[in-house]
Amino acid sequence: MQKKKEKLLNKIVKKDYNNELEMILEKKSFDESAKNLLLSILYKIEASYKDYEKTKRNVMDKEEYVKRFIQIIQENCDSMTICKMNSKEVNILGDKTFLVDKENKRIICYPIERKLLYCIAKISKKDIIIKQDYPIICETLSNAINIGNNIETVEPLRDFNGYSWTTTCSEIESVSYNLIYQNLRLLLGQEFLEKWIKNKEFIIDYMELLKNKLEEKYGTKNQKDIIKIIEKLSVLLEVNYNSKKKEEFAKEKKEIEKTLKKIDNKEKYIEMITKQKRKLTKEIKIIDATVNDKKLLEAEYIKRNEELPSKKKIFSVRVLSKRMKKERDEKLEELEKLNELLNPRKYISYKKEMEQKYEYLKLIEIDDFEKEINKMLIKLQKVFLKVYQLKIQKTNEKSEIVDCIYEFRYYTVLPYNEKINIGEVKEIQKELQETRRLLLDKAQELKVIIVTSKNKEIDNEILKNIFTIRILTLEDIYIKLIKEKDKVYIQLFDDDIFEEKVELKDFGNINKKDLEIKVNKKIKVFN
């Protein structure tokens, strides 16, 4: 209720966000080109956001989006440099187009508006948004969701210009991360993902919340399938794009293999833990004796400094004493952890954690990452379409089914790779067709769209074209069947845009009696 009141108030009292941004920029030491670029981004977003909101559905309100954009600049950006050719920043960037330094609140970027907006989206985010209770994926899945959200943040500027909607695949940082994020958004809604990303504490376990919401909406099996696939995809994409991470995971995998061998033999495992405990206890006793004996402490000070390089030498005996006390605390903490591992319950959970880690780390052994990523993305789309059908089946309001039509249209034109959109992926044509038919049937049942033919096959073949067009307002589209010799063509258009004619293949000899619309006459598709 409060949100509705705020929206109404925003409509009545329109804020001058341009003026607000200018006032903030006056206090910033950004160069002039950065300020101009930011003002240009804001102007274009204000012009395009209405079309973005209409086309995509279930997105952040424009006012909320703009407020967040300005807030990030105010709170998270202390330094912003637009990189010019032959400047020293070119050397800092190397082969990259931007640099985001979260710690120092610093952005360096080439003068490309969508890249600068991506930097602004990125600089405000916490790197890890999943609890450490989920080994490996706490990092990889956090990265996947954050990147997906960054790409979505840029979308109103990248794909909309105030009068048309165009997606250029090469301008999307990662179509795979984008697809995973949009799958989750379409199933769970924008609000859930935004809350997760903005969450700065781990009081709420959003990973558990994600599972619960998926299970509640789409059932246990579908939930498990979706989670398993996106977890594996996050690891595969991480190592495919990040060679350093692949090396890091390879080392960790070797260590876990050693640990698992020891854990499997319970007697040897207990023996190993006991030895480590004895070693730590002995080291703690030596530290206690050294810190409490002036002569021993001085001797340790001389010994350590002889072994250290000049830059790392210990400043004084007092500094050494503090350092050794800290070392003692760390060893006590380690000892406590070892004591816990001897607890039978802790032993089981520790073993399970190691096995879970190893399952993900084994993925680095795959020979062809691109092939495996493609395979997993196809799996994810098949499950997504299966559960999206459940969403359609539960929908009984006209406004909701209109939203579903817009959403499904948006989904089918999402880039799958640099060559094709989702709607063109061969491996999921059966699932796409089933979802489309279900959606059209439901829309006709609720009298949202017209029936074009008594023959269901022909009707679906005609109406499926509404999911491929990029006319912004679907409610304004008209359809016309055009007969030329022995061929029948479909043409969709509104007052301003005419789509190319599409041949109605395999239905050349349509019986006019089967048609619910007249040939060569334009008919409005939405009732």
Side-chain angles (χ1 to χ4, degrees):
M1 190 68 184
Q2 184 64 31
K3 264 198 166 183
K4 285 184 180 178
K5 284 181 181 177
E6 285 173 10
K7 282 182 189 177
L8 186 62
L9 191 65
N10 283 328
K11 284 178 183 177
I12 298 166
V13 185
K14 192 177 179 183
K15 286 193 75 173
D16 186 352
Y17 288 113
N18 193 72
N19 186 49
E20 189 178 331
L21 179 58
E22 281 182 338
M23 287 171 68
I24 288 165
L25 292 177
E26 279 176 16
K27 298 171 186 176
K28 298 283 182 179
S29 57
F30 302 166
D31 59 43
E32 206 58 36
S33 56
K35 291 179 180 180
N36 290 335
L37 218 55
L38 290 168
L39 287 165
S40 175
I41 288 169
L42 178 59
Y43 172 79
K44 288 179 180 177
I45 286 167
E46 291 230 66
S48 66
Y49 205 87
K50 187 180 176 184
D51 289 339
Y52 166 73
E53 204 169 7
K54 181 194 297 176
T55 303
K56 192 169 179 177
R57 289 324 209 236
N58 195 351
V59 296
M60 198 184 295
D61 292 327
K62 187 183 89 169
E63 286 74 20
E64 190 182 346
Y65 179 99
V66 173
K67 277 180 190 175
R68 186 175 165 194
F69 170 72
I70 293 170
Q71 186 181 10
I72 293 168
I73 294 165
Q74 184 176 22
E75 296 176 4
N76 301 92
C77 302
D78 289 344
S79 171
M80 191 178 289
T81 306
I82 302 305
C83 190
K84 293 163 188 163
M85 295 304 292
N86 303 319
S87 65
K88 63 179 181 180
E89 285 79 21
V90 172
N91 297 324
I92 297 171
L93 290 178
D95 60 351
K96 296 177 182 177
T97 53
F98 62 81
L99 180 145
V100 174
D101 179 357
K102 292 182 184 180
E103 191 178 343
N104 296 303
K105 298 184 177 182
R106 179 190 184 202
I107 290 172
I108 300 173
C109 184
Y110 277 104
I112 305 166
E113 288 174 345
R114 61 184 172 80
K115 291 289 183 183
L116 183 56
L117 185 54
Y118 187 93
C119 292
I120 290 163
K122 184 177 180 179
I123 202 166
S124 66
K125 288 183 174 66
K126 189 177 176 182
D127 289 335
I128 304 296
I129 58 171
I130 295 170
K131 293 175 84 171
Q132 296 293 333
D133 299 358
Y134 304 91
I136 306 298
I137 61 145
C138 65
E139 185 177 352
T140 62
L141 192 52
S142 290
N143 201 27
I145 291 168
N146 279 332
I147 291 172
N149 183 264
N150 294 341
I151 294 167
E152 178 167 81
T153 302
V154 178
E155 195 175 355
L157 177 73
R158 186 192 68 224
D159 293 355
F160 296 83
N161 56 20
Y163 58 89
S164 68
W165 169 32
T166 311
T167 305
T168 306
C169 184
S170 60
E171 292 181 353
I172 300 173
E173 281 71 19
S174 167
V175 292
S176 298
Y177 279 133
N178 184 50
L179 186 53
I180 293 165
Y181 186 84
Q182 295 308 326
N183 285 155
L184 288 173
R185 186 190 66 82
L186 286 164
L187 294 179
L188 297 168
Q190 167 265 337
E191 191 177 350
F192 173 77
L193 291 170
E194 287 292 339
K195 281 182 179 177
W196 187 357
I197 290 159
K198 286 177 188 174
N199 181 44
K200 300 295 180 187
E201 303 295 332
F202 286 129
I203 297 167
I204 301 170
D205 184 345
Y206 269 92
M207 195 64 197
E208 191 62 29
L209 205 56
L210 170 69
K211 291 176 183 178
N212 291 340
K213 280 190 172 289
L214 284 171
E215 187 171 338
E216 183 187 329
K217 283 174 174 280
Y218 309 111
T220 305
K221 187 181 183 306
N222 290 326
Q223 175 265 116
K224 286 182 177 177
D225 288 344
I226 291 167
I227 296 296
K228 189 176 181 181
I229 294 167
I230 63 169
E231 285 177 350
K232 284 188 176 181
L233 266 171
S234 73
V235 177
L236 288 166
L237 288 165
E238 188 74 40
V239 296
N240 192 45
Y241 291 139
N242 190 338
S243 56
K244 285 183 181 176
K245 186 56 68 178
K246 188 178 179 181
E247 289 172 15
E248 187 185 308
F249 281 172
K251 286 179 185 174
E252 194 170 350
K253 178 177 165 286
K254 283 182 181 177
E255 290 302 314
I256 287 174
E257 280 172 350
K258 290 177 187 176
T259 305
L260 283 171
K261 279 181 183 178
K262 291 171 184 173
I263 291 174
D264 284 339
N265 188 323
K266 198 170 182 181
E267 286 181 10
K268 283 190 177 181
Y269 171 75
I270 293 167
E271 189 182 328
M272 177 192 75
I273 297 292
T274 307
K275 279 182 181 179
Q276 287 177 321
K277 279 180 64 183
R278 283 175 190 158
K279 183 174 175 286
L280 281 168
T281 305
K282 189 178 178 182
E283 287 169 355
I284 290 164
K285 282 181 181 178
I286 291 168
I287 289 171
D288 287 341
T290 305
V291 168
N292 294 313
D293 189 309
K294 191 178 177 182
K295 286 183 180 179
L296 287 174
L297 190 60
E298 284 174 353
E300 182 68 20
Y301 172 73
I302 294 164
K303 182 188 170 187
R304 289 200 186 194
N305 272 340
E306 281 175 354
E307 294 169 357
L308 289 169
S310 55
K311 287 183 180 178
K312 293 188 177 181
K313 288 195 185 294
I314 301 163
F315 185 70
S316 66
V317 173
R318 190 173 63 181
V319 170
L320 174 62
S321 178
K322 282 184 179 179
R323 187 178 292 185
M324 290 186 78
K325 284 175 183 175
K326 189 182 176 185
E327 288 170 7
R328 182 186 187 277
D329 290 341
E330 287 169 357
K331 289 180 189 296
L332 277 170
E333 194 177 324
E334 198 177 337
L335 190 63
E336 196 174 323
K337 284 179 183 176
L338 290 172
N339 283 328
E340 283 182 5
L341 290 175
L342 289 174
N343 181 314
R345 285 184 183 178
K346 288 287 179 181
Y347 166 80
I348 292 165
S349 64
Y350 180 63
K351 187 180 178 184
K352 189 178 177 182
E353 183 188 325
M354 291 296 107
E355 286 169 344
Q356 191 181 7
K357 268 189 178 184
Y358 190 64
E359 184 187 349
Y360 293 122
L361 292 171
K362 275 200 302 182
L363 291 169
I364 66 169
E365 295 171 354
I366 290 165
D367 294 326
D368 191 335
F369 280 102
E370 293 288 347
K371 188 178 177 181
E372 189 65 22
I373 288 166
N374 181 62
K375 180 183 163 185
M376 296 303 290
L377 279 172
I378 293 293
K379 265 189 176 183
L380 180 60
Q381 300 325 299
K382 287 191 173 193
V383 180
F384 166 78
L385 287 164
K386 181 184 169 185
V387 299
Y388 196 75
Q389 287 172 22
L390 295 175
K391 181 178 176 178
I392 294 166
Q393 285 167 0
K394 291 175 184 177
T395 303
N396 290 305
E397 296 294 326
K398 285 188 176 184
S399 59
E400 289 176 355
I401 208 70
V402 170
D403 284 344
C404 285
I405 291 169
Y406 271 93
E407 284 180 351
F408 188 66
R409 191 265 298 256
Y410 174 83
Y411 169 72
T412 59
V413 299
L414 277 171
Y416 179 73
N417 56 36
E418 63 278 0
K419 293 177 182 176
I420 59 171
N421 292 338
I422 281 291
E424 300 166 303
V425 179
K426 289 178 183 177
E427 294 91 336
I428 59 169
Q429 285 306 307
K430 183 188 171 187
E431 289 79 9
L432 284 167
Q433 190 178 38
E434 286 171 355
T435 310
R436 188 169 58 234
R437 282 184 176 180
L438 182 66
L439 186 50
L440 290 172
D441 287 349
K442 179 71 82 164
Q444 287 172 339
E445 181 191 318
L446 294 172
K447 301 193 185 313
V448 169
I449 60 172
I450 60 166
V451 176
T452 64
S453 174
K454 293 170 188 172
N455 183 318
K456 211 65 187 163
E457 291 297 316
I458 295 172
D459 187 49
N460 275 286
E461 194 67 22
I462 292 170
L463 291 173
K464 74 176 187 181
N465 292 281
I466 67 173
F467 300 110
T468 59
I469 59 170
R470 283 182 179 261
I471 291 171
L472 292 168
T473 308
L474 289 174
E475 289 91 333
D476 291 344
I477 61 172
Y478 290 84
I479 194 166
K480 185 193 271 190
L481 289 185
I482 304 164
K483 191 147 188 177
E484 293 179 2
K485 295 181 181 178
D486 293 331
K487 293 182 178 180
V488 177
Y489 296 90
I490 303 157
Q491 189 168 39
L492 290 163
F493 52 91
D494 66 1
D495 292 334
D496 303 312
I497 300 168
F498 280 77
E499 293 287 321
E500 287 184 19
K501 290 189 298 185
V502 178
E503 186 183 348
L504 193 60
K505 292 178 181 177
D506 303 323
F507 297 100
N509 298 314
I510 291 176
N511 189 334
K512 286 186 179 180
K513 290 180 181 178
D514 286 338
L515 292 174
E516 296 287 338
I517 59 174
K518 291 181 181 180
V519 177
N520 294 323
K521 184 180 179 183
K522 71 172 189 177
I523 306 289
K524 203 165 188 183
V525 175
F526 281 71
N527 291 318

